[in-house]
C-alpha cells in the first residue's frame, strides 16, 4: 500500500513546479508541447508506472512521519506560518497535528480513507470535514492528508513539454472517485528522473483552481523527494502557499492510532 | 430576599492522580511529558439598560499529559476569579456573588491503556456523542456548566468532567463503546441573581425563594449509569447508535413552603435515551444529523394557583424527541458557512411549560479570515417563538502565543421567549488569551 497522506502532501508540491522552472516554461518559446497523440519516450513504463514513480519522488510508502511548514503569502507579504507534523500509514490513514503557532497547538486532522475529521482542543470532539476544505492559505486538507496520486487517479500521457531545458511527460489524471480533492490533475514529470515539476488542478467544471510547483529534491527515507512546494491560486497568482517538508522518519503505527477515539 | 445554597462537590481526585504519578515513576520505557497552560482574561459590559460590568474574569487552564508506549495519563485543572459580581450592585445582594466569584475545579484526570483492540480509560473525563454545533443535543453524557448560557468560553469548558469507566473496542471500521458512571453528576445551574438564573426566582413576588440544587447522588449501585454506543463507517457515512441509562442532567424543581420561604429543591429523575447520529462528506457540502428519543422526561411548568402559590410551579412529563440536521458548505475559500435546523418536540402538551412543545431553531454559522490572519465569526440562532441570539467575534492574533478577541452576545425577543428572556444579559466583551506549552 502506498502512503496516501504523503501522496496528498506531495501532490500540492507536485502540482507546483518550482517558481523558476515555471517561469522558464512559460517565457521560453523553446518549451514545446507535442500533440497528444505523439509517442512519448516512455520506453517500457506505462502512464500508471510513471505516476507511481512521480509519487515516490513526492512521498515514501508505508508508515512514516514528517513535518511541513506552510507560509501563506499575498504578494510579498507573509500572512501566516503554520507548522504541522503528519503521520501517514499505507496512503490510507493520516493524522495531521498542528505544532505552531502555539495558540493553535492541539488541533488535529484525521484521515481514514477518504473520510476526514477535525479535532479542536476547545471542543474536544471530532467534527466531520471535507478533503476539499481549506487547511490554510491555498492548501486544502486533501493536499496534506493524501500524499499520492496513484490510488486516486487514472493516468494517461497526453504529450511532452520542455521545462527548464528538460523533457517532461504531461500526464492527465482523472479522479477515480468524486470525493478526492480535485477532479482532474495535469502533472509534468521529468522523463529521466520521473520527478514531478509542476501540476495543475481542475474542478469538475474544468476550471483551473490551482497550480503547484515541486523543487528542492533532497534525500528522504532512501530517495530524493521534493522538499519544497509552491501552490498558487489560479485566479489570484499573488496568493501563494509555500510548503517546506522535513524530518521524514519511519514509524511503527497501529491502525488504532488513526481513530476518532484516539484523538484527544 | 433570594437565597441559594449551591453545593459544590468534593471531588476526590487524589487516588487517580497518585496512580498517574506512580505510573510515570515506574514506567519501564521513557515517557513523553507535555503540558499546556492557557490564561484567559475577559471583561464584558451590559448593553441593554445601564451600561455596567457583566464580567471581569481571569481564568487559568492547565493540562499535563504523560505518555509511555500504550499508557497515557492526563491531569487537568482550571481556576478562575471573577470580580464583576462584587463590583456591580445588581449582583451584590444575590447568591451569585458567593456562588460564582471564584472557583477551582479538576478537569480531565484519567489513565488510559490501549492494546489488543481495546482502549480503556478510567477517571474524570469527557465523552461526546453529538455531531451538532453550539447547543448540546445528543451530547448527553457529561453534565454541563450552564451558568453563562454556554457563552462564557470554549465548548469543552462547559462540560463537567465526571468519573467513569470508558472502554472502546475497535472492530475494523466499527467501534463499540461501553460506559459506566458509578456516581452521577448534574448540570451546574446559574445562581439566583445572575444574568441567566432560572425563572423560579421571579415567579413568587414578595416571597423569599431558596433553591437547593443537587450536584450529585450518593455512590450506590442503584445510582450507577450505563451507556453503550456503536459506530461504523459505511459508504462514507459515519454512523452511530447509542443508548444511555442515566439521571436527568437538567434539574426539575419541587417547591414547598417552609415557613415564609418557598424552598425549591432540585430533583433529577432516572431517564433512558436512544439516539442516532450520522455525517457524510458530499464534497461541496458536509451533512450532519442527530436524533434522540427520551421517554417521559420531566418538564417544569408554571400555572398560577392562588390558593397554594407554591404549587403553581410543577413538573409534567412528556416524551421528548430531538432532531438536528446540519449542512456545512466547504467551497467558500477562507470562509465557512454552516446551517443547522433543530427540533425539540414534546409528545404531550404541558400547560405553562418552560419548554415549547415544538421548538424549532435555525442556526447559521459563518466566519473566515480577514486582513491576512484576523478571524471573524458570526453565529445567529433563530427560534420559532420570534426570539434570536447573535454571537459575533473578531479575533486578532498578537503573537504566536497571544490573541485578542472583541465580541458581543445580543439577545432579542419577547420577555418569555427562548432568547428574549435573557435580553438583560446582552453584552459586549474583550478578551485576551495566552497559550503556553512545553514538554
Amino acid at each position: 500500500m502506498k502512503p496516501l497522506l504523503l501522496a496528498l502532501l506531495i501532490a500540492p508540491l507536485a502540482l507546483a513546479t518550482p517558481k523558476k522552472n515555471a517561469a522558464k516554461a512559460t517565457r521560453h518559446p523553446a518549451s514545446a508541447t507535442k500533440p497528444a497523440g505523439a509517442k512519448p519516450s516512455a520506453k517500457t513504463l506505462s502512464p500508471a508506472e510513471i505516476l507511481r514513480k512521480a509519487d515516490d519522488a513526492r512521498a515514501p510508502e508505508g508508515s512514516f512521519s514528517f513535518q511541513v511548514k506552510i507560509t501563506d503569502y499575498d504578494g510579498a507579504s507573509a500572512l501566516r506560518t503554520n507548522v504541522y507534523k503528519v503521520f501517514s500509514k499505507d496512503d490510507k490513514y493520516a493524522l495531521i497535528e498542528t505544532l505552531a503557532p502555539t495558540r493553535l497547538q492541539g488541533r488535529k486532522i484525521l484521515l481514514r480513507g477518504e473520510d476526514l475529521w477535525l479535532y479542536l482542543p476547545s471542543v474536544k470532539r471530532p467534527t466531520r470535514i471535507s478533503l476539499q476544505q481549506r487547511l490554510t492559505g491555498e492548501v486544502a486538507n486533501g493536499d496534506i492528508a493524501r500524499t499520492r496520486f496513484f490510488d486516486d487517479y487514472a493516468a494517461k500521457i497526453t504529450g511532452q513539454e520542455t521545462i527548464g531545458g528538460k523533457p517532461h511527460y504531461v500526464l492527465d489524471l482523472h479522479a477515480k472517485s468524486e470525493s478526492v480533492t480535485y477532479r482532474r490533475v495535469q502533472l509534468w514529470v521529468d522523463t529521466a528522473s520521473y520527478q514531478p515539476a509542476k501540476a495543475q488542478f481542475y474542478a469538475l467544471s474544468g476550471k483551473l483552481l490551482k497550480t503547484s510547483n515541486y523543487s528542492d529534491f533532497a534525500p528522504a527515507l532512501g530517495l530524493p523527494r521534493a522538499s519544497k512546494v509552491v501552490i498558487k491560486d489560479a485566479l489570484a497568482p499573488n496568493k501563494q502557499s509555500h510548503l517546506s517538508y522535513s524530518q521524514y522518519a519511519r514509524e511503527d503505527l497501529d491502525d488504532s492510532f488513526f481513530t476518532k477515539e484516539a484523538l484527544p | 430576599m433570594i437565597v441559594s445554597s449551591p453545593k459544590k462537590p468534593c471531588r476526590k481526585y487524589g487516588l487517580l492522580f497518585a496512580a498517574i504519578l506512580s505510573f510515570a515513576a515506574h514506567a519501564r520505557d521513557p515517557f513523553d511529558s507535555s503540558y499546556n497552560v492557557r490564561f484567559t482574561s475577559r471583561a464584558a459590559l451590559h448593553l441593554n439598560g445601564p451600561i455596567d460590568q457583566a464580567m471581569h474574569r481571569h481564568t487559568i487552564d492547565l493540562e499535563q499529559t504523560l505518555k509511555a508506549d500504550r499508557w497515557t495519563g492526563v491531569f487537568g485543572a482550571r481556576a478562575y476569579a471573577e470580580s464583576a459580581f462584587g463590583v456591580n450592585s445588581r449582583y451584590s445582594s444575590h447568591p451569585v456573588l458567593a456562588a460564582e466569584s471564584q472557583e477551582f475545579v479538576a478537569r480531565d484526570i484519567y489513565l488510559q491503556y490501549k492494546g489488543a483492540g481495546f482502549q480503556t480509560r478510567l477517571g474524570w473525563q469527557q465523552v461526546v456523542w453529538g455531531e451538532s454545533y453550539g447547543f448540546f443535543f445528543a451530547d448527553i453524557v457529561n453534565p454541563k456548566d450552564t451558568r453563562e448560557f454556554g457563552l462564557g468560553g470554549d465548548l469543552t469548558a462547559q462540560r463537567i468532567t465526571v468519573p467513569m469507566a470508558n472502554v472502546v473496542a475497535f472492530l475494523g471500521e466499527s467501534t463499540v463503546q461501553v460506559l459506566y458512571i458509578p456516581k452521577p453528576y448534574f448540570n451546574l445551574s446559574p445562581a439566583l441573581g445572575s444574568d441567566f438564573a432560572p425563572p423560579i426566582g421571579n415567579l413568587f413576588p414578595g416571597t423569599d425563594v431558596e433553591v437547593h440544587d443537587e450536584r450529585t447522588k450518593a455512590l450506590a449501585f442503584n445510582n450507577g449509569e450505563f451507556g453503550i454506543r456503536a459506530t461504523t463507517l459505511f459508504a462514507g457515512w459515519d454512523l452511530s447508535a447509542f443508548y444511555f441509562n442515566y439521571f436527568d442532567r437538567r434539574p426539575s424543581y419541587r417547591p414547598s413552603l417552609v415557613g415564609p420561604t418557598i424552598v425549591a429543591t432540585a430533583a433529577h429523575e432516572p431517564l433512558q435515551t436512544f439516539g442516532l447520529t450520522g455525517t457524510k462528506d458530499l464534497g461541496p457540502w458536509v451533512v450532519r444529523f442527530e436524533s434522540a428519543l427520551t421517554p417521559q422526561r420531566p418538564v417544569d411548568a408554571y400555572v398560577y394557583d392562588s390558593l397554594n402559590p407554591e404549587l403553581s410551579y410543577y413538573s409534567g412529563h412528556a416524551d421528548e424527541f430531538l432532531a438536528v440536521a446540519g449542512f456545512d458548505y466547504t467551497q467558500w475559500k477562507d470562509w465557512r458557512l454552516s446551517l443547522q435546523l433543530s427540533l425539540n418536540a414534546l409528545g404531550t402538551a404541558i400547560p405553562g411549560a418552560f419548554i415549547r412543545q415544538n421548538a424549532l431553531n435555525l442556526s447559521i454559522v459563518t466566519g473566515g479570515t480577514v486582513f491576512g490572519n484576523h478571524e471573524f465569526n458570526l453565529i445567529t440562532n433563530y427560534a420559532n417563538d420570534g426570539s434570536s441570539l447573535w454571537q459575533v467575534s473578531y479575533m486578532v492574533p498578537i503573537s504566536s502565543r497571544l490573541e485578542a478577541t472583541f465580541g458581543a452576545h445580543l439577545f432579542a425577543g419577547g420577555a418569555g421567549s427562548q432568547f428574549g428572556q435573557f435580553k438583560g444579559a446582552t453584552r459586549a466583551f474583550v478578551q485576551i488569551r495566552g497559550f503556553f506549552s512545553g514538554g
Side-chain angles (χ1 to χ4, degrees), chain B residues 20-62:
Chain B
I20 292 172
L21 291 178
S22 174
F23 140 74
H26 294 92
R28 226 177 7 174
D29 301 321
F31 60 85
D32 294 326
S33 171
S34 63
Y35 68 87
N36 286 286
V37 181
R38 193 178 64 212
F39 297 96
T40 307
S41 291
R42 179 184 279 206
L45 293 175
H46 288 117
L47 298 179
N48 195 336
I51 294 179
D52 56 12
Q53 273 198 52
M55 176 179 278
H56 187 189
R57 184 170 300 194
H58 305 283
T59 307
I60 179 172
D61 289 272
L62 163 72

Side-chain angles (χ1 to χ4, degrees), chain A residues 124, chain B residues 11-21 62-66 72-78 104-112 120-126 142 159-166:
Chain A
K124 286 214 170 179
Chain B
R11 298 179 177 176
K12 297 177 180 174
Y13 304 98
L15 194 60
L16 191 63
F17 188 40
I20 292 172
L21 291 178
L62 163 72
E63 189 165 275
Q64 173 84 41
T65 304
L66 302 170
T72 303
V74 172
F75 177 79
R78 184 178 67 227
F104 172 81
V105 291
R107 297 290 296 162
D108 296 72
I109 302 179
Y110 60 79
L111 196 56
Q112 174 183 294
T120 303
R121 186 179 290 177
L122 301 173
W124 282 257
Q125 55 191 290
Q126 302 176 47
N142 289 85
R159 287 187 208 102
I160 297 169
T161 58
V162 296
M164 69 177 90
N166 172 6

Side-chain angles (χ1 to χ4, degrees), chain B residues 375-439:
Chain B
E375 285 182 18
F376 170 79
N377 283 292
L378 174 64
I379 304 172
T380 52
N381 301 277
Y382 303 94
N384 65 340
D385 62 3
S387 64
S388 63
L389 165 61
W390 296 60
Q391 303 169 63
V392 60
S393 66
Y394 187 86
M395 190 278 288
V396 180
I398 299 170
S399 72
S400 168
R401 299 182 184 281
L402 280 176
E403 61 186 32
T405 304
F406 307 88
H409 300 144
L410 311 167
F411 294 84
S417 61
Q418 181 178 342
F419 298 115
Q421 64 181 308
F422 301 119
K423 265 201 295 199
T426 291
R427 60 186 65 183
F429 69 87
V430 59
Q431 174 178 285
I432 301 288
R433 264 190 169 173
F435 301 80
F436 301 89
S437 63

Side-chain angles (χ1 to χ4, degrees), chain B residues 89-394:
Chain B
S89 59
R90 80 158 74 183
Y91 302 115
S92 58
S93 62
H94 292 282
V96 65
L97 176 61
E100 299 182 20
S101 288
Q102 67 278 319
E103 182 177 76
F104 172 81
V105 291
R107 297 290 296 162
D108 296 72
I109 302 179
Y110 60 79
L111 196 56
Q112 174 183 294
Y113 177 79
K114 191 159 71 174
F118 288 89
Q119 175 179 287
T120 303
R121 186 179 290 177
L122 301 173
W124 282 257
Q125 55 191 290
Q126 302 176 47
V127 171
V128 187
W129 285 354
E131 299 286 356
S132 59
Y133 291 133
F135 298 103
F136 302 100
F137 295 102
D139 184 358
I140 58 174
V141 176
N142 289 85
K144 308 297 182 302
D145 181 348
T146 65
R147 292 175 297 179
E148 292 295 330
F149 199 68
L151 304 173
D154 299 331
L155 284 176
T156 182
Q158 293 160 45
R159 287 187 208 102
I160 297 169
T161 58
V162 296
M164 69 177 90
N166 172 6
V167 180
V168 180
F170 299 102
L171 309 164
E173 294 298 339
S174 303
T175 65
V176 176
Q177 180 181 36
V178 175
L179 303 178
Y180 178 68
I181 301 175
K183 181 178 165 71
Y185 287 85
F186 306 117
N187 288 357
L188 191 50
S189 301
L192 295 181
S194 69
D195 286 359
F196 303 105
I200 193 167
N202 304 319
L203 297 176
F204 305 98
T207 308
D208 290 347
V209 176
E210 190 173 316
V211 172
H212 289 184
D213 273 322
E214 183 185 35
R215 292 298 320 286
T216 184
K217 286 186 182 294
L219 182 63
F221 180 76
N222 286 342
N223 289 339
E225 300 178 323
F226 168 78
I228 184 166
R229 183 191 193 217
T231 72
T232 191
L233 262 177
F234 176 73
W237 282 96
D238 181 11
L239 301 169
S240 82
F242 63 83
Y243 165 77
F244 195 36
N245 188 324
Y246 63 116
F247 290 89
D248 197 349
R249 300 298 186 231
R250 189 174 71 200
S252 56
Y253 290 104
R254 311 291 158 79
S256 58
L257 199 56
V258 180
T261 302
I262 289 182
V263 175
T265 305
H268 297 88
E269 298 186 15
L271 294 178
Q272 297 181 79
T273 295
F274 307 83
L276 294 170
T277 70
T279 63
K280 181 161 173 73
D281 174 10
L282 297 175
W285 294 89
V286 172
V287 296
R288 298 174 279 108
F289 76 86
E290 59 186 67
S291 59
L293 174 66
T294 306
Q296 291 301 295
R297 184 164 196 188
V299 177
D300 282 9
Y302 179 82
V303 176
Y304 182 62
D305 182 336
S306 58
L307 294 177
N308 301 293
E310 74 278 12
L311 299 182
S312 302
Y313 193 104
Y314 73 105
S315 286
H317 288 80
D319 294 344
E320 181 189 67
F321 177 69
L322 288 170
V324 186
F327 309 89
D328 306 335
Y329 186 61
T330 67
Q331 309 285 301
W332 197 12
K333 296 214 166 187
D334 290 339
W335 288 71
R336 59 191 170 281
L337 173 66
S338 297
L339 307 174
Q340 182 169 289
L341 194 63
S342 63
L343 168 69
N344 186 346
L346 301 178
T348 308
I350 299 174
F354 294 120
I355 298 175
R356 303 193 302 287
Q357 189 174 4
N358 291 293
L360 265 173
N361 278 269
L362 172 66
S363 301
I364 303 172
V365 180
T366 187
T369 306
V370 292
F371 301 120
N373 57 1
H374 299 187
E375 285 182 18
F376 170 79
N377 283 292
L378 174 64
I379 304 172
T380 52
N381 301 277
Y382 303 94
N384 65 340
D385 62 3
S387 64
S388 63
L389 165 61
W390 296 60
Q391 303 169 63
V392 60
S393 66
Y394 187 86

Side-chain angles (χ1 to χ4, degrees), chain A residues 42-229:
Chain A
K43 296 177 184 171
T44 57
L45 292 187
S46 68
E49 288 167 325
I50 294 170
L51 180 59
R52 178 169 267 182
K53 281 183 171 290
D55 279 349
D56 288 339
R58 296 191 301 126
E61 295 178 306
S63 295
F64 60 95
S65 66
F66 60 88
Q67 280 192 23
V68 57
K69 178 180 177 182
I70 303 177
T71 305
D72 301 320
Y73 291 90
D74 188 354
S77 305
L79 302 177
R80 67 187 82 84
T81 296
N82 292 350
V83 180
Y84 304 92
K85 179 156 190 177
V86 182
F87 297 89
S88 174
K89 182 175 183 180
D90 297 340
D91 208 20
K92 184 178 174 188
Y93 304 131
L95 183 67
I96 303 170
E97 291 185 8
T98 306
L99 301 182
T102 305
R103 58 191 178 79
L104 300 182
Q105 269 183 8
R107 291 189 181 192
K108 298 175 186 175
I109 291 176
L110 169 69
L111 169 83
R112 286 183 71 88
E114 294 171 351
D115 303 307
L116 264 86
W117 294 265
L118 169 67
Y119 175 84
L120 300 174
S122 60
V123 181
K124 286 214 170 179
R125 181 199 72 184
T127 300
R128 189 71 179 267
I129 57 173
S130 170
L131 277 170
Q132 301 171 11
Q133 271 173 285
R134 293 215 175 190
L135 175 67
T136 177
E138 304 313 306
V139 184
N141 293 321
D143 292 336
I144 298 293
R146 296 180 71 98
T147 53
R148 299 178 72 90
F149 291 137
F150 181 80
D151 289 329
D152 291 342
Y153 293 90
K156 65 178 179 183
I157 298 174
T158 58
Q160 281 193 27
E161 193 172 308
T162 303
I163 297 176
K166 293 180 180 177
H168 285 70
Y169 298 122
V170 182
L171 295 184
D172 200 20
L173 313 181
H174 283 267
K176 293 176 182 173
S177 82
E178 293 181 3
S179 58
V180 297
T181 316
Y182 308 103
R183 283 304 181 86
R184 179 181 164 229
V185 179
Q186 273 189 298
L187 182 64
W188 281 255
V189 180
D190 189 308
T191 58
S193 66
Y194 300 105
Q195 291 172 345
K198 72 171 183 178
Q200 294 183 334
F201 300 91
Y202 296 87
L204 176 63
S205 63
K207 177 180 154 191
L208 178 61
L209 299 172
K210 301 177 191 176
T211 64
S212 182
N213 289 33
Y214 303 86
S215 65
D216 296 17
F217 290 84
L221 299 180
L223 280 177
R225 306 182 200 274
S227 65
K228 185 174 181 186
V229 177

